[in-house]
Amino acid sequence: MDVTQYLLRIRYQGPAQPSLETLRCLHHCHLSSVPFESLSIHCREPIALALPLLYDKIVRRHRGGFCFELNGLFLWLLQTLGFGAKAVAGRVRNPFTGRYGPPLDHMVILVQLEGRSFLCDVGFGEGFLEPLELKPGTEHVQKGGIFWLGNKGGIWVLERREVPGKEGRPLYQFTLEEKKLDDFAGMCSYHQTSPSSIFPCKSFCSLRKEDGGRLTYMGWRLISTAGEKRTETALQSSEIPAILHEKFGVRLEGDFKPKDKEIVLPPEED
């Protein structure tokens, strides 16, 4: 871990001592600098959950990744800086199928700071911009969305709301049991191969914009959102590598093949 290079990668220039303000700024900078993407899968680049490999890919090669990669590396940074942070596991509600994924489907980070607990997640496409204090029944209004956390029987649920005070759309559920990076190895393989996972079915790259919206490449489309406004541009296959470099700072090294295939419904889970 070269902390200086990591902070340069996410364009963070503030103090590095553990504090709530530092955590907020690191989280914000990460989301606006490192894309959430599935491109390795569509370049036939195997993904392995080894921290030196993740550091090389994200920091040195200026790539992004999915939750295990992004949150795994961000957790390492937080712990190196002295934050009391741990990984916990969740299950994502697939926006295309409406089903929750298998156990250990998603990795998120829990930070203990100033006597409080905060949820961090830099590896989720529709996620929150700033860490969320872990308080059940609390709405968090941020630039780019309203987020609500609930807890029932030890299972926490993150929900995105369109209107304050009104029930919204669940994004994922999680528990507070600590996990290690190796615990996610099986699901890392699943998300590279399963027809029920978005990652092998759709080639995409998504980055948070400073106005709270998102810029997303998917398949043969470039999608920009800002509040209620959404624009979509059709792309030719030959245009995509240049778009990825110009808009996301990503240079692909393998034989990239765009993809936008329907996701197969997963088996019902209890």
Side-chain angles (χ1 to χ4, degrees):
M1 168 67 72
D2 184 330
V3 170
T4 299
Q5 291 303 312
Y6 198 145
L7 298 182
L8 284 172
R9 169 70 177 98
I10 64 174
R11 297 178 293 179
Y12 176 77
Q13 297 180 329
Q17 293 75 22
S19 70
L20 182 53
E21 182 60 24
T22 298
L23 184 64
R24 285 173 175 159
C25 291
L26 288 169
H27 199 272
H28 187 288
C29 287
H30 210 291
L31 286 169
S32 61
S33 302
V34 183
F36 178 61
E37 48 113 321
S38 67
L39 302 175
S40 287
I41 298 166
H42 304 281
C43 292
R44 297 186 179 182
E45 298 172 355
I47 298 169
L49 298 184
L51 288 174
L53 297 178
L54 301 184
Y55 180 87
D56 181 68
K57 177 182 178 181
I58 294 167
V59 177
R60 293 198 179 102
R61 293 165 50 206
H62 278 240
R63 288 285 304 279
F66 54 23
C67 68
F68 308 129
E69 299 175 276
L70 302 182
N71 282 327
L73 196 64
F74 189 52
L75 175 62
W76 191 23
L77 174 67
L78 294 179
Q79 292 173 336
T80 301
L81 293 177
F83 285 91
K86 68 178 185 180
V88 299
R91 297 171 62 191
V92 174
R93 185 178 182 273
N94 191 307
F96 297 93
T97 67
R99 302 269 188 89
Y100 279 101
L104 296 165
D105 180 52
H106 185 50
M107 175 183 177
V108 289
I109 300 170
L110 195 66
V111 176
Q112 300 290 336
L113 188 64
E114 301 173 4
R116 295 182 286 170
S117 298
F118 294 89
L119 188 72
C120 295
D121 192 345
V122 297
F124 191 72
E126 295 185 87
F128 43 90
L129 188 59
E130 296 184 358
L132 304 179
E133 186 170 3
L134 205 65
K135 283 186 175 182
T138 303
E139 278 189 344
H140 301 265
V141 181
Q142 300 184 357
K143 183 187 292 186
I146 303 167
F147 300 92
W148 177 86
L149 283 167
N151 182 7
K152 186 175 181 180
I155 297 177
W156 288 81
V157 176
L158 175 65
E159 185 179 284
R160 185 184 182 114
R161 296 182 166 181
E162 300 300 325
V163 180
K166 291 191 177 181
E167 187 174 341
R169 178 167 52 89
L171 298 180
Y172 57 78
Q173 57 183 224
F174 60 97
T175 65
L176 304 186
E177 179 185 357
E178 183 173 7
K179 299 293 183 183
K180 303 300 182 184
L181 189 60
D182 288 346
D183 294 331
F184 298 95
M187 287 307 299
C188 180
S189 177
Y190 169 91
H191 280 308
Q192 294 178 71
T193 59
S194 173
S196 296
S197 172
I198 185 176
F199 301 101
C201 292
K202 299 178 184 293
S203 57
F204 68 85
C205 186
S206 186
L207 196 60
R208 174 79 69 166
K209 297 192 296 184
E210 291 298 329
D211 62 7
R214 297 196 73 83
L215 184 66
T216 301
Y217 150 74
M218 181 174 287
W220 289 267
R221 297 172 292 156
L222 185 66
I223 305 160
S224 177
T225 60
E228 299 298 320
K229 185 179 179 182
R230 174 189 169 98
T231 59
E232 188 171 310
T233 304
L235 301 173
Q236 299 295 320
S237 294
S238 59
E239 298 178 280
I240 295 172
I243 289 290
L244 290 172
H245 180 237
E246 177 187 346
K247 302 293 185 182
F248 302 95
V250 168
R251 286 188 183 274
L252 298 180
E253 299 170 7
D255 181 19
F256 174 68
K257 294 184 178 180
K259 193 172 183 181
D260 193 356
K261 184 179 178 181
E262 289 295 320
I263 297 170
V264 176
L265 285 173
E268 289 281 8
E269 295 278 350
D270 294 333

